[in-house]
Amino acid sequence: MVDINNDGLLDIYVVDMAPSDHFRSKAYMKSMDVKKFHGLKDNGYHSQYMFNTFHMNNDGGDFSEIAQFSGTAKTDWSWSPLFFDMDHDGDKDLFITNGIKENFLFRDIMTEVNKRKRSGLEIGLDELLNIVPSDISENIFYKNKGGSKFDNVSSKWAEPSFYNSNGIATGDFDNDGDLDFVTNNMDSNATLYESLAASRKGANSIKLLIKGAKNNPGAIGTKLKLTTDSGSQWHELYTVRGYLSSIDPAVIFGLKDNESASLKITWPDGKISKIPFLEANKTYVIDYYETEKEKVSNLEKQPKIFSNSNSLGITFRHKEDKFNDYHKQVLLPHSQSNVGPSIIKGDIDGDGLDDFFVGGAAGQSGILYTQNTIGEFFEMKGPWNQDKQYEDTGGLFFDSDGDNDLDLYVVSGGAHLAENNVLYQDRLYINDGKGNFNKAINNIPNIPISGQAIAASDIDGDGDQDLFIGGRIIPDQYPYSPNSYLLINNNGKFTKKQIEINQMVSSALFSDYDLDGDDDLITVGEWSPIKIFNNENGSFFPANIESLNETTGLWFSLAENDIDLDGDIDYFVGNIGLNTKFKVNDKKEFHIYSHDFDSNGTYDIVLSSNYNGNLVPSRGRECSSEQMPFIKDKFEDYRSFANATLYDIYGDSLNEALHYEANILYSVFLENLGDGSFKVKKLPWQSQLAPISGFAVTDINNDGFNEVITVGNLYNVEVETVRYDSSRGCILSFLNGEFKAISHLETGFITTGDSRAICTIKNSSQTTLIVTNNDGSLDVFKSN
C-alpha cells in the first residue's frame, strides 16, 4: 500500500504469477475453471483473476483496478513489488522481484509423467524434478510516467538479472542522497543495486530522518507531504514492504529541479507540523519533540457539485435474465446479451418538464417516470407492462404521427433467443397528448433483428420524422453483422428500406456534420471504423473521410455537441478503452477471425495478437479445444500449442474466415474542422479505464460552458479476461482546446455498477443525472 500517483491517498498493488511472454503464458499458465470461477462468485467472493492488480484509490473507500491500463498486469512469478523514486523525477517508480526454482505450473507435467509410466519407468522425486522446468524470470524495472502509466525500462536501468529473487529492501547505503537496494536470491548470493540517481545531471533530492514520540520512536504511520513549484509528493511512513522485507526508514523525495520545498507532517497522533523551507540536496532530521505542532481543526468539507440521491421516487432496479452467452461461442470475448438498460427522456405530457423511460430486461417491464415541479418522479403505467417478455435495449421519444406530442419507440434486442425470433420485434407506443400511451398495431414493419441503436430525422423532406434502426448482433454469430434499416414515415405508418451498413451497430446519430443543410448518418459498432454516410436527397452513401479510415475499434457509444463553440458539430465516441489485456500500438496487434473451423455448424471465434513476427492465438489450448476439439488432437501437449502460430493451428481456413483488425482501442473526441474532415483526439486517461457506453453533455457548474460526462463498464466477459469494472464515471471540462478530468473529490460523481447509459434532467432549480446499471439500481445524482 503506497500513494502511487501523489494524490494523498493510499493505493494498493498486488502481484501474481501471470507471464507477459506468449509461450510462457500458454505453456505455464493454468486455464480458468469456468464452473469454479462462477461458483466462487455465487458464494460471495469477488472475481478471481490471475493477474497483478493495481487498485487506484478514488477516496471514500472506493478503488478502480487499473493494472492492465498501467502496463504492470503481467510480470511473471512475482514476489516483491516496491515503489520508490529511482530517477528523482518526483514520481515513485516500481521494482518487482521475480522467479521460482521449480515451475510446477508447467501444464505438461502430467503428460510427461504419463508418457514415462507407459514406458514402464518409475517416477520418483528426482525424475519429477527433471520434468519440471527450472529457469530464470528476470526482475523488472518500471518507470512511473505520472502515476497511472508505467514503462518497462529493465534493459535500460540495469543489467539483466540472471537469478530468481524474492525479498527487496531499500536504503541509502552510501549516503549520497538516493535509494540503493538489495535483493535476496535463490541459490545465489544477495545482490546490491547501487543507485546512480544522485550523480545524474539535473537530479536532486531531499532526505528526511523522522523521529517519533516515545510510544512510536520510528514514527510509523507518519504522513509526509512535500510541496514544490512542480507539485506535491506524498509518502506514508511504513517500513514493511515487499515479501518478508523491511526498508530503511529514511525517506528520500526526488525533485525535478534544484528547487526548495515546504513540508507538511501529519504525526500518528493527528497533530500537524509545517516546515516552510527545505533546501534541495540536504538531509534533515525531524524530531517529534523539537517540532512545533498544531491540532487538526475540524475543517468544513468543500461541498461537491453532485450528491447521490435516492429520495426522488426513482426505485427501478434492472434485473438481468440469466443467459449464458458462451454456450455456443465459448471464445466470445464479452457478453452480447447484457447491453441494457437504456434510458430516454422527453416531455410526454406537455408540462415543460423532462420525463424518462428506462427499459427492462427480458421478463421485466420497462418503467416510465413523470416529473413534478419540485423534481420528484412518479411511475406511470402503460402498455409496456404487457410486453415484459421483450428485452428493451434502446428507444426514442419522437412525434411519429405529427400530432405534436411525443410517442415512444422501444428497440428490442439481446442474444438470448435464436436469430429472427419474434421477440426481437421493436414496439411503438402512441401518446394521446396527455402522457397516456397505447400500443400501435401494424404501424411499424416486421423487423425481428436484435438491435440497440435508433435515430430520427426527416430523411425524405416531407415534414415528418423517419427512423434509422441499427442491427446490433446476430445471436451466436459474433462478429457477423445483421441488417440495418431506414423506416420511412408515411402519415404515421412506416415502411422499411434496407441500408448497407455492414456493422454491428451500437450507436447512431443523424447529424449535419458537413453543414450542407441536411442530416447525415453516423454509426459506430464493434470491429468497425467510425462510419459516416452522406445524405444525398434522402439516400445515404459512405463518406470518404481520411482521418476515419484507420479507426476500427470496439465502439459502444456516440454523442454530439459543438463543444468548442466554433459553429460546427463535434463528436464523442466510446471505445472499449485501454484497461484491457488486448493491446494495439506500434508493437501489438489485435485481430479477430470467425469461421466454422471444425465444420460442426457453429461460428468459431479466434482472437489473435502478434508474437515474434507471427500471429498467435490469444486464448489457450484448453479453452480453444473446448470450442474446437480438433486442436487437442492436433497438439497433444501445451508446449507444442504454445510454439504454434495461428496458421499452424488453423491453416488455409483462415483465408476463408471473416477477419477484422483493430486500429485503436481508446475513446476519442472528433474535432470537426468545418470542412467535412475531423481531427481524431484521444480523451484523457481517466475516461479510458473501461468501455464507455454512454455520454452526456451539459453545463454542470453553470459557467456557460458544457462538460462531457462518460459512464461505462462491462462485467460479463469471458473468465480469462479481467472484467471491465474500473469506471466510476468521469466528468471532463473543455478549455483552450483540451479536455481535463475533474476529480471525483470535486464532483461527487461516482457511479456504482455496470453502467450503460446516462440521462441529464434539468428543471429551474437543479440538474439531475440518472445512470443506468445492468442488473442493478439506477444511480441518481442531484446538483448542489
Side-chain angles (χ1 to χ4, degrees):
M1 294 181 67
V2 63
D3 181 6
I4 297 170
N5 54 355
N6 283 327
D7 63 354
L9 303 169
L10 286 179
D11 310 298
I12 306 171
Y13 188 78
V14 186
V15 292
D16 207 286
M17 298 176 292
S20 60
D21 176 78
H22 169 76
F23 174 83
R24 292 173 67 84
S25 69
K26 298 299 182 286
Y28 293 172
M29 194 171 177
K30 188 175 181 180
S31 296
M32 298 290 267
D33 184 324
V34 177
K35 185 176 181 180
K36 182 182 285 187
F37 180 92
H38 291 295
L40 287 167
K41 286 184 64 179
D42 292 342
N43 283 279
Y45 291 91
H46 200 280
S47 304
Q48 304 293 303
Y49 295 112
M50 295 185 290
F51 296 96
N52 300 343
T53 53
F54 177 171
H55 300 283
M56 185 178 64
N57 197 332
N58 296 320
D59 197 24
D62 181 83
F63 293 79
S64 290
E65 201 290 298
I66 65 166
Q68 299 283 358
F69 176 83
S70 72
T72 66
K74 296 184 286 186
T75 55
D76 220 298
W77 199 301
S78 301
W79 297 90
S80 291
L82 204 63
F83 288 88
F84 59 104
D85 189 356
M86 299 184 214
D87 55 359
H88 286 186
D89 66 349
D91 293 313
K92 298 179 185 70
D93 308 297
L94 172 62
F95 181 82
I96 296 179
T97 62
N98 268 313
I100 187 72
K101 184 178 179 180
E102 306 290 350
N103 198 327
F104 57 83
L105 291 185
F106 180 47
R107 300 303 310 275
D108 287 327
I109 291 176
M110 287 310 301
T111 303
E112 294 295 328
V113 167
N114 289 333
K115 280 183 182 178
R116 298 191 185 200
K117 284 184 175 179
R118 285 195 296 269
S119 299
L121 299 175
E122 293 292 327
I123 302 296
L125 179 59
D126 290 340
E127 289 78 15
L128 183 61
L129 291 178
N130 287 332
I131 296 172
V132 177
S134 181
D135 51 18
I136 299 294
S137 300
E138 287 190 28
N139 299 330
I140 302 176
F141 290 83
Y142 284 106
K143 176 179 171 57
N144 189 331
K145 295 180 64 181
S148 61
K149 294 284 285 185
F150 290 77
D151 274 349
N152 189 326
V153 292
S154 300
S155 59
K156 299 177 182 178
W157 281 13
E159 293 293 324
S161 52
F162 296 107
Y163 30 74
N164 292 323
S165 304
N166 300 129
I168 174 177
T170 57
D172 185 6
F173 297 122
D174 49 7
N175 286 319
D176 64 350
D178 54 28
L179 284 174
D180 314 294
F181 61 94
V182 62
T183 64
N184 75 300
N185 307 311
M186 277 190 170
D187 291 340
S188 182
N189 296 328
T191 304
L192 178 63
Y193 289 81
E194 179 190 1
S195 174
L196 303 177
S199 60
R200 184 172 59 85
K201 184 178 180 180
N204 301 277
S205 65
I206 289 176
K207 183 175 180 179
L208 304 175
L209 304 175
I210 311 296
K211 294 185 177 182
K214 291 180 180 178
N215 63 345
N216 184 4
I220 300 299
T222 299
K223 299 176 183 178
L224 305 168
K225 180 184 179 182
L226 188 86
T227 301
T228 68
D229 292 338
S230 302
S232 295
Q233 299 178 50
W234 296 78
H235 184 81
E236 195 156 338
L237 183 55
Y238 291 98
T239 57
V240 177
R241 300 286 188 196
Y243 177 75
L244 300 181
S245 305
S246 287
I247 63 172
D248 185 84
V251 178
I252 295 179
F253 287 103
L255 304 176
K256 287 184 173 67
D257 300 300
N258 187 7
E259 54 189 357
S260 61
S262 63
L263 182 67
K264 177 183 175 182
I265 308 165
T266 304
W267 299 97
D269 60 7
K271 294 178 180 178
I272 291 177
S273 298
K274 295 179 180 178
I275 300 176
F277 180 81
L278 294 174
E279 193 174 343
N281 301 314
K282 288 192 174 181
T283 299
Y284 294 88
V285 178
I286 300 175
D287 193 316
Y288 175 86
Y289 293 107
E290 297 177 4
T291 308
E292 290 188 12
K293 293 174 286 296
E294 58 187 62
K295 290 185 177 180
V296 180
S297 58
N298 292 323
L299 298 175
E300 291 187 13
K301 291 186 176 180
Q302 188 73 18
K304 294 178 171 60
I305 297 173
F306 292 100
S307 57
N308 200 307
S309 174
N310 55 9
S311 61
L312 302 180
I314 302 171
T315 59
F316 176 84
R317 178 180 177 85
H318 186 255
K319 299 176 183 177
E320 187 61 79
D321 58 307
K322 302 301 181 184
F323 173 73
N324 182 8
D325 289 75
Y326 308 96
H327 177 65
K328 287 188 177 180
Q329 289 191 301
V330 175
L331 304 178
L332 190 72
H334 50 259
S335 166
Q336 298 297 304
S337 68
N338 297 73
V339 300
S342 59
I343 186 170
I344 54 175
K345 70 176 179 180
D347 179 9
I348 64 160
D349 48 13
D351 62 357
L353 300 172
D354 283 334
D355 313 297
F356 71 91
F357 179 85
V358 58
Q364 176 189 25
S365 172
I367 291 182
L368 175 64
Y369 283 99
T370 59
Q371 183 183 186
N372 65 15
T373 55
I374 61 173
E376 296 174 330
F377 292 87
F378 299 89
E379 180 181 347
M380 191 166 185
K381 301 295 183 182
W384 42 83
N385 294 325
Q386 282 74 53
D387 288 340
K388 65 181 182 179
Q389 68 269 35
Y390 296 88
E391 176 145 349
D392 307 330
T393 53
L396 182 71
F397 282 117
F398 78 115
D399 185 4
S400 73
D401 49 10
D403 62 355
N404 297 316
D405 58 33
L406 294 180
D407 307 304
L408 172 62
Y409 189 107
V410 181
V411 178
S412 301
H416 57 301
L417 303 167
E419 182 182 7
N420 296 321
N421 190 286
V422 294
L423 292 181
Y424 289 135
Q425 173 64 32
D426 298 342
R427 291 145 284 142
L428 177 63
Y429 304 98
I430 303 299
N431 190 345
D432 68 356
K434 300 177 182 179
N436 303 303
F437 291 81
N438 292 293
K439 187 174 182 179
I441 306 298
N442 300 323
N443 288 47
I444 57 176
N446 182 39
I447 43 172
I449 57 169
S450 180
Q452 181 179 9
I454 179 173
S457 176
D458 183 7
I459 294 170
D460 51 11
D462 63 354
D464 53 26
Q465 293 288 292
D466 310 298
L467 299 175
F468 168 76
I469 305 297
R472 179 67 173 85
I473 60 162
I474 304 175
D476 299 322
Q477 296 182 38
Y478 182 92
Y480 282 85
S481 302
N483 293 330
S484 293
Y485 295 93
L486 296 172
L487 301 190
I488 306 302
N489 193 340
N490 299 291
N491 299 316
K493 303 286 186 179
F494 292 82
T495 56
K496 68 180 179 180
K497 177 182 177 182
Q498 190 169 332
I499 179 173
E500 294 300 324
I501 299 292
N502 192 28
Q503 187 181 52
M504 295 186 293
V505 183
S506 56
S507 190
L509 284 173
F510 281 114
S511 183
D512 186 7
Y513 83 97
D514 52 7
L515 302 178
D516 65 350
D518 56 27
D519 280 343
D520 309 294
L521 178 63
I522 307 175
T523 64
V524 297
E526 294 187 50
W527 296 104
S528 170
I530 300 167
K531 293 188 176 184
I532 296 183
F533 299 87
N534 284 331
N535 186 343
E536 298 182 15
N537 300 317
S539 297
F540 293 86
F541 300 92
N544 183 17
I545 300 174
E546 185 177 356
S547 61
L548 302 185
N549 289 340
E550 299 296 318
T551 59
T552 298
L554 281 74
W555 304 104
F556 291 91
S557 56
L558 176 64
E560 64 176 353
N561 186 261
D562 181 12
I563 195 72
D564 52 11
L565 303 177
D566 64 352
D568 51 37
I569 303 299
D570 309 299
Y571 302 94
F572 308 92
V573 197
N575 210 337
I576 197 169
L578 299 177
N579 196 23
T580 172
K581 73 176 185 180
F582 306 115
K583 307 297 179 187
V584 173
N585 52 44
D586 57 352
K587 297 179 181 178
K588 295 288 187 179
E589 300 174 8
F590 184 31
H591 299 254
I592 188 170
Y593 292 84
S594 182
H595 184 64
D596 187 3
F597 289 105
D598 54 1
S599 303
N600 69 346
T602 61
Y603 289 84
D604 307 313
I605 294 171
V606 176
L607 299 174
S608 177
S609 58
N610 54 311
Y611 176 70
N612 290 342
N614 295 299
L615 288 181
V616 293
S618 298
R619 304 295 300 275
R621 174 178 176 266
E622 189 168 334
C623 53
S624 297
S625 61
E626 186 178 348
Q627 176 79 47
M628 295 164 279
F630 76 86
I631 291 175
K632 191 169 285 187
D633 298 328
K634 189 172 183 179
F635 300 93
E636 295 184 356
D637 54 31
Y638 290 89
R639 184 188 293 274
S640 60
F641 182 83
N643 277 315
T645 68
L646 206 65
Y647 189 83
D648 292 334
I649 301 170
Y650 299 103
D652 291 335
S653 58
L654 288 172
N655 299 324
E656 304 170 13
L658 178 69
H659 171 226
Y660 297 118
E661 179 183 359
N663 302 126
I664 58 175
L665 300 181
Y666 51 82
S667 297
V668 301
F669 165 56
L670 300 183
E671 180 186 0
N672 195 331
L673 301 181
D675 59 358
S677 65
F678 295 92
K679 190 172 185 178
V680 181
K681 295 184 176 181
K682 184 188 296 187
L683 289 174
W685 70 265
Q686 293 91 338
S687 58
Q688 306 289 353
L689 301 182
I692 294 180
S693 55
F695 289 95
V697 185
T698 187
D699 182 3
I700 66 169
N701 51 10
N702 297 317
D703 65 353
F705 298 97
N706 282 335
E707 283 75 37
V708 178
I709 308 173
T710 71
V711 297
N713 282 331
L714 182 55
Y715 287 3
N716 190 355
V717 300
E718 56 86 11
V719 298
E720 290 186 2
T721 298
V722 177
R723 75 178 197 175
Y724 305 107
D725 63 2
S726 297
S727 173
R728 299 296 182 268
C730 185
I731 298 182
L732 305 173
S733 64
F734 185 78
L735 185 64
N736 298 324
E738 298 294 333
F739 287 97
K740 182 180 179 182
I742 309 174
S743 167
H744 292 299
L745 302 177
E746 181 179 344
T747 65
F749 179 73
I750 299 181
T751 60
T752 64
D754 194 1
S755 302
R756 289 293 179 271
I758 180 170
C759 178
T760 62
I761 293 179
K762 289 197 173 188
N763 57 34
S764 58
S765 61
Q766 67 186 28
T767 299
T768 302
L769 305 179
I770 302 174
V771 179
T772 69
N773 293 305
N774 184 267
D775 202 30
S777 300
L778 304 181
D779 287 326
V780 181
F781 301 91
K782 188 168 60 175
S783 66
N784 294 321

